[in-house]
Amino acid sequence: MSHEAWTACCERLRASLPAQQFNTWIRALSAEPEEGGEGVRLRVLAPNRFILQWVRERYWPKIAEHLAELGIAQAELQLGAATKGGTPPRPSRAASAEVPSSTDATETPAAAAQESPPAASPAEESSTEPKPRPGRSAPKRRPLPLAEDVAPSSTLEALYERTRLNPAATFDTLVTGRANDLARAAAMQVAHNPGASYNPLFVYGGVGLGKTHLIHAIGNAIFRTDPRVVIRYVHAEDYYADVVRAYQQKSFDAFKRYYRSLDVLLIDDIQFFQNKARTQEEFFHAFNALTEAHKQIVITCDTYPKDIQGLEDRLISRFDWGLTVQIEPPELEMRVAIVQKKAQLLGVQVGDDVAFLIAKNLRSNVRELEGALNKVVAFANFHSQPITLELAKEALKDILHAYNRQLSVEHIQKTVADYYKTKVADMHSKKRTRAVARPRQVAMWLAKELTPLSLPAIGEAFGGRDHTTVLHAYRTINELRLTDPQLNHDVHVLLQVLRG
């Protein structure tokens, strides 16, 4: 009776929770009957303290309600494994990847650094250049905790809250494709060995392509492996606000101690440091202190480091110490996979035709794809109808119309001609000189990527050329982007300009 009730309870939770939450927290639990007393009693077991605390605060009231409806007189959530012939909890692969392997955590002195920077101490550090960077060596690992140092689960959760990480942004929920496979591989290497592989890891790419998701995934993976590591995610604007606060309160010593005590610093959208001299100076010193101590730094930006305007050369040169990787706009197949993954996390069924419709017409970034999917789901719920291709077209008619109207071939041709300082007429001419042919091929590539037009229609817009010419141009630019950094940069800039 008890095992059947637990199975039925899990099925109810599976139907009501997003797949990622169910796989991470509920599948990690097990249950066994408890002897004695009147009625059917059940012990629900969590494999470690972190899961125990998380389930108790967020899911246990609903679990207890379901079990009561299924005839369980009393249920209790406990830490431990199944015993007396019961089956020990065996978390799914997803759950194993999402929770820490240890059952406890240590509150180290550095853990206090994850609180807000205190306002104390006057004095400021000199802005002189630091000593040359010493040779790299393997970072020292923290010692294992003593029994008397083990922190309660509430402390563990408090440590996670201070990281400011998004628990839903993990490597498991990141859709991978040609556009981000290198960045993901580098991120996983950093997560596996922080401070000893690529430091700093600099990830750049357009708006909404998954940079923030990636650095949150790094932080989550490191925390799950060792909750004692002091991690902090901070947006560049928040870092700037901390500098301003330290300046107003004359507390730069406390500010510096705080950021230099971190083990992992994840800083997002560093382009917001533009023309902020004092912020750049403080980050420069923090950067040197952290890297010299073999502490990991991960940075994201919307453009290549050397193209950031208003940023000091000494900072840009330090960004080149580690590895710089780009996240490109996702190709069609990857966009379809993203839509389907987002639908799965929402717990809704979306057919391939609907996913293809969204992916084919919305090419800019992941946020646009997610926004379009949310609109379709909301439209279907409001009208109490299943999600069909016709319903999706109706829900997205304004978005699709505006998007396709804005990105015309003529607009692409003019933008490319202005960028390369050529004439729009050259896009239609028969000239084959390199100065004319290459921009024309770039414009054809952009037209195929950014508009729903067929190859023959694109060829017609470029002076009545054959569709095979467009296909050749598309393949040529794809190949050159892998070997020609300047061309790849040009294409990236044009994509950003055309998408606004």
Side-chain angles (χ1 to χ4, degrees), residues 182-383:
L182 177 60
R184 182 179 185 273
M188 293 187 72
Q189 179 66 23
V190 166
H192 178 70
N193 201 6
S197 51
Y198 308 120
N199 200 17
L201 175 63
F202 191 101
V203 182
Y204 74 98
V207 175
L209 297 183
K211 304 185 300 295
T212 300
H213 187 134
L214 196 65
I215 64 171
H216 277 282
I218 293 173
N220 279 313
I222 294 173
F223 185 85
R224 267 41 171 192
T225 301
D226 186 357
R228 296 167 296 169
V229 176
V230 186
I231 305 167
R232 174 69 183 275
Y233 165 83
V234 59
H235 191 275
E237 287 190 328
D238 293 330
Y239 187 92
Y240 166 72
D242 286 345
V243 173
V244 172
R245 188 182 306 111
Y247 184 81
Q248 292 173 337
Q249 300 176 356
K250 295 182 170 59
S251 58
F252 272 106
D253 281 353
F255 169 86
K256 291 166 184 174
R257 284 197 304 271
Y258 169 68
Y259 276 101
R260 297 180 192 190
S261 64
L262 300 176
D263 293 321
V264 180
L265 173 60
L266 311 169
I267 187 157
D268 205 4
D269 286 332
I270 205 166
Q271 70 272 7
F272 285 103
F273 281 2
Q274 292 172 332
N275 302 317
K276 296 179 175 67
R278 188 57 192 266
T279 300
Q280 292 183 36
E281 179 181 341
E282 292 303 325
F283 183 72
F284 173 79
H285 294 304
F287 182 99
N288 285 320
L290 290 174
T291 54
E292 287 171 8
H294 305 291
K295 306 299 180 64
Q296 182 67 51
I297 300 176
V298 184
I299 301 169
T300 74
C301 185
D302 64 358
T303 189
Y304 190 71
K306 293 182 180 178
D307 294 328
I308 306 174
Q309 300 298 320
L311 204 64
E312 296 179 5
D313 290 340
R314 61 178 182 173
L315 269 181
I316 293 175
S317 69
R318 277 157 176 77
F319 295 160
D320 291 332
W321 279 359
L323 177 68
T324 300
V325 291
Q326 180 183 12
I327 297 181
E328 298 181 1
E331 65 276 12
L332 177 61
E333 295 81 2
M334 185 176 173
R335 295 197 300 270
V336 171
I338 289 171
V339 173
Q340 292 173 332
K341 182 70 172 181
K342 296 293 183 183
Q344 179 186 354
L345 294 176
L346 289 173
V348 298
Q349 285 289 113
V350 171
D352 292 341
D353 52 351
V354 174
F356 184 82
L357 172 73
I358 296 173
K360 181 66 176 176
N361 290 280
L362 296 170
R363 303 173 178 83
S364 294
N365 56 60
V366 177
R367 289 178 192 157
E368 279 194 355
L369 293 172
E370 188 170 6
L373 175 63
N374 289 337
K375 187 169 185 178
V376 171
V377 172
F379 190 86
N381 290 338
F382 181 77
H383 292 281

